[in-house]
Amino acid sequence: MKPIRRIGISTGGGDCPGLNAVIRAVVKTAVNTHGWEVVGIFDGFDGLIDTAKSKVLTPLAIRGILPQGGTILGTTNRGNPFKYQAEVRGKVVTRDLSPLVLRNARKLGLDAVVTIGGDGTMGIAYDLHRKGLPMVGVPKTIDNDLASTDITFGFNTAVTTATEALDKLHTTAESHHRVIVLEVMGRYAGWIALESGIAGGADVILIPEIPFDYEAMCEKIMTRRRRGSKFSLIVAAEGAKPRGGSVSLAEKAAGGRAERLGGIGQKVGAEITLRTGIDTRVTVLGHLQRGGSPTPFDRILATRLGVAAVDLVRRRRFGRLVCVRGGEISSASLASAAGKMRGVPPRGELVRVAEALRISFGR
């Protein structure tokens, strides 16, 4: 059996605090423990389409990146080599460049590739593995919505950012006797909204898994006012939707791009003002949740996952991704993470905790 001498590493999908911590852990473990060489693949899988977008990563090259947000390798959520879009003679054409990816991986001398990403990236990794490229995955997303793992790195940092925002909004809402709506990310899962809402003392939490009723939400606000609380805080996940309605879109799906969620905060704020007459303001937290230095929790989790990914390569357990199960590092098949989502259980323990605190979900 050919010994492992050289591996690649890439980051795909949206950026996320902790990506650099994984890269650092992979490089340090692969080089210092096993004597392998690590090649950084830039901008997702684009670095395997154009090999000029790759370089060897030494321990010196990754020095100091642990506390940095983002990724030193760059990333993209539009670089699927199986459906690669390019302009030819003024027209956008879609081509399958996976054979080129496999050839370039051999050209670079890669014995395996560690790829860090969400469900879309893991789906691509699974397809490349089935075509013969040894792949190991590391799941990441601030949304915490991957079916294959109990938690993803980046999520804790995003929740911390959202909670700090709620702490600041609390004082201004109370000072002006206003309702303030905070719209947070999460795609079609409500984990960020739920956990930051509990941690930040929200009065209403709106999540995709529990379609809400405007009347029930406004009744919660008016009840608080009758009892002497002249302000209210509402956290709305970007994928939240009213009962019988649909999600709010900032951009429709087109040209191979997925739909982009956004706008629910403004809709909720307008309805509150219309129905109650209370001065209501809206804050959209947006990409602040993706940026900045990862929390200690995320640095440690990302490091654990990076070390475990190298161990999967060492044991030649390809076609798998590292994950967290019951607090312990484990692994699962790439197929288990491809295109599958883990949402908030509508009657789960965290929802019950929130409701025990009289937080409304608008139901």
Side-chain angles (χ1 to χ4, degrees), residues 18-355:
L19 285 167
N20 285 326
V22 179
I23 294 168
R24 173 180 177 271
V26 168
V27 172
K28 288 176 73 71
T29 306
V31 175
N32 296 334
T33 302
H34 302 295
W36 302 342
E37 200 169 47
V38 180
V39 176
I41 300 164
F42 287 83
D43 300 334
F45 293 103
D46 284 1
L48 288 176
I49 293 172
D50 176 7
T51 55
K53 300 175 74 172
S54 63
K55 74 172 185 179
V56 173
L57 297 178
T58 64
L60 181 62
I62 49 91
R63 182 173 296 172
I65 69 172
L66 179 63
Q68 292 180 19
T71 165
I72 63 169
L73 296 177
T75 188
T76 177
N77 49 17
R78 298 171 185 170
N80 185 346
F82 292 91
K83 299 177 182 177
Y84 197 82
Q85 293 188 331
E87 187 173 316
V88 178
R89 299 187 185 92
K91 293 184 179 180
V92 177
V93 297
T94 301
R95 295 181 293 172
D96 179 4
L97 296 185
S98 59
L100 176 62
V101 166
L102 268 63
R103 288 198 301 272
N104 282 339
R106 289 193 294 269
K107 179 180 176 182
L108 290 170
L110 302 181
D111 299 306
V113 174
V114 174
T115 187
I116 315 164
D119 56 348
T121 301
M122 292 304 119
I124 296 170
Y126 177 60
D127 290 337
L128 288 172
H129 169 72
R130 290 198 302 167
K131 294 196 75 169
L133 182 58
M135 300 292 301
V136 165
V138 179
K140 71 98 192 106
T141 171
I142 67 167
D143 306 321
N144 200 37
D145 62 350
L146 292 186
S148 57
T149 183
D150 293 345
I151 191 168
T152 54
F153 69 86
F155 172 66
N156 183 266
T157 305
V159 170
T160 300
T161 299
T163 302
E164 290 173 349
L166 280 170
D167 290 345
K168 291 177 170 63
L169 293 173
H170 188 121
T171 56
T172 186
E174 188 171 14
S175 297
H176 290 273
H177 313 309
R178 286 175 174 150
V179 173
I180 295 186
V181 180
L182 177 68
E183 181 182 316
V184 298
M185 287 181 164
R187 295 199 304 175
Y188 306 99
W191 293 107
I192 294 176
L194 177 59
E195 295 205 11
S196 65
I198 293 173
D203 305 297
V204 179
I205 300 173
L206 306 178
I207 60 176
E209 296 85 352
I210 304 175
F212 65 91
D213 178 76
Y214 279 114
E215 284 298 327
M217 177 184 63
C218 290
E219 177 56 32
K220 170 67 176 181
I221 294 168
M222 296 307 295
T223 298
R224 282 177 51 78
R225 288 183 84 82
R226 287 192 293 268
R227 293 175 177 173
S229 296
K230 296 183 179 180
F231 74 99
S232 292
L233 288 179
I234 298 174
V235 182
E238 62 183 352
K241 59 185 178 181
R243 193 175 301 148
S246 57
V247 296
S248 299
L249 297 180
E251 185 179 317
K252 294 182 179 179
R257 299 179 185 179
E259 63 184 14
R260 188 161 61 87
L261 303 179
I264 187 60
Q266 294 294 340
K267 289 183 179 180
V268 168
E271 284 290 334
I272 292 171
T273 299
L274 178 66
R275 293 168 185 257
T276 68
I278 300 172
D279 187 18
T280 303
R281 302 299 170 89
V282 179
T283 296
V284 180
L285 202 51
H287 285 76
L288 283 171
Q289 295 156 95
R290 289 197 179 279
S293 183
T295 59
F297 180 92
D298 278 337
R299 296 184 198 187
I300 294 168
L301 177 58
T303 299
R304 292 169 69 198
L305 293 171
V307 171
V310 173
D311 192 56
L312 283 183
V313 173
R314 178 188 66 82
R315 294 186 288 142
R316 299 179 182 272
R317 298 199 71 193
F318 303 124
R320 300 188 68 78
L321 77 159
V322 290
C323 61
V324 181
R325 297 276 173 80
E328 298 294 324
I329 301 297
S330 183
S331 71
S333 68
L334 285 172
S336 70
K340 298 176 183 176
M341 194 194 83
R342 184 180 71 93
V344 173
R347 301 288 177 183
E349 189 256 345
L350 274 181
V351 172
R352 296 197 306 273
V353 165
E355 290 183 326

